[in-house]
Amino acid sequence: MKVFIAVCFLFVYVYSLPTFDATLDSAWALYKRTYEKQYGSNVEESKRRSIWEDHIALIRKHNLEADLGLHTYTMGMNKYGDMTNLEFVKQMNGLRRPSNVSFPAACGKKYVAPSNFKRPDRVDWRTKGYVTPVKDQGDCGSCWAFGTTGALEGQTFAKTQKLIPLSEQNLVDCSGAYGNEGCNGGLTDDAYRYIRDNKGIDTESSYPYEAKDGKCRFTTKDIGATDTGCTDIEQNNESALQDAIATVGPVSIGIDATQSSFQFYKSGVYIEPSCSATNLDHAVLAVGYDTQDTVDYYIVKNSWGTSWGNQGYIWMARNRDNQCGVAAYANYPNV
């Protein structure tokens, strides 16, 4: 009887295992090697392989449709390919608004375009020295800290002509009293208020990024930049956002980055009808704007490393009814 039960259990176990596409064996091995993936058990690896194969199918289908002209952007496999979309969003997207409250215009100062300003057709602050190389937030929901430092790095360069990478870890570890929660999320305007009251933020080289919550180790001798607060850009007003980008420099914005299409974005203008203009969950940096084949887009710097997207960047749709909420929560520091 015991033997019979054991055989039954073995039968159920074997036939409950997922079946994999054998033609993808070498691609799976390459994926694991490329992104240094290691799993604690065969069961865990089987789970991750199954998720990865589903994403392979999703990407292939999308790109075939893109070849037929149904999409303006392509998708590609990346280091997040073995994570479900829910896992990915929970881990990577850390823009947190107060409970039951829409994203606030909390800086207390509102952007006003200069008089007689004529907006240029295209802007790219990377070519002017305002933007540091793409960074990687790792397994930590600290996008809000990277959005903050990116905008402050640009404004500091505008004032001093020195591009100084600033410490996201400083913000993760030290700005909790202002409402931020380190790797569990935060807001850029709260981070600007911390920097103002703290009278500075340390340089990245003196306070390097660790992708985890830690004890505050800020020191005044290592300050790389300061601010006197921040300025809000009128909510849901893309004209104001574009004017601010053109006249001020890189601007921190909040977006909806919950879609699988965003998780695997590779190139082209990201037009995603399923995006929300109100449910924002990710902070990024708008460093310019342009047009490709009559399709307008923002040049957006992400904080997921250069292996994601277009060398770490994404072209977000512009002038399409505030798609993905690009203008719902935008601000920059006063320097």
Side-chain angles (χ1 to χ4, degrees), residues 261-328:
S261 56
F262 194 97
Q263 182 176 346
F264 296 107
Y265 167 85
K266 186 62 179 177
S267 65
V269 180
Y270 184 68
I271 297 177
E272 175 53 78
S274 298
C275 252
S276 170
T278 57
N279 295 326
L280 316 184
D281 69 343
H282 189 48
V284 288
L285 189 72
V287 304
Y289 59 81
D290 206 336
T291 301
Q292 181 186 55
D293 299 330
T294 73
V295 181
D296 297 336
Y297 64 88
Y298 297 98
I299 304 168
V300 174
K301 179 187 180 185
N302 203 354
S303 52
W304 295 344
T306 56
S307 65
W308 177 88
N310 187 356
Q311 296 297 308
Y313 282 83
I314 180 171
W315 292 354
M316 301 287 294
R318 176 167 64 101
N319 298 326
R320 294 185 70 90
D321 297 324
N322 193 29
Q323 185 173 260
C324 297
V326 288

Side-chain angles (χ1 to χ4, degrees), residues 33-51:
R33 186 164 64 250
T34 299
Y35 297 113
E36 300 180 342
K37 298 285 185 175
Q38 295 182 337
Y39 305 105
S41 67
N42 290 335
V43 172
E44 178 66 15
E45 178 164 348
S46 292
K47 175 184 175 182
R48 296 301 160 187
R49 164 104 183 230
S50 180
I51 294 168

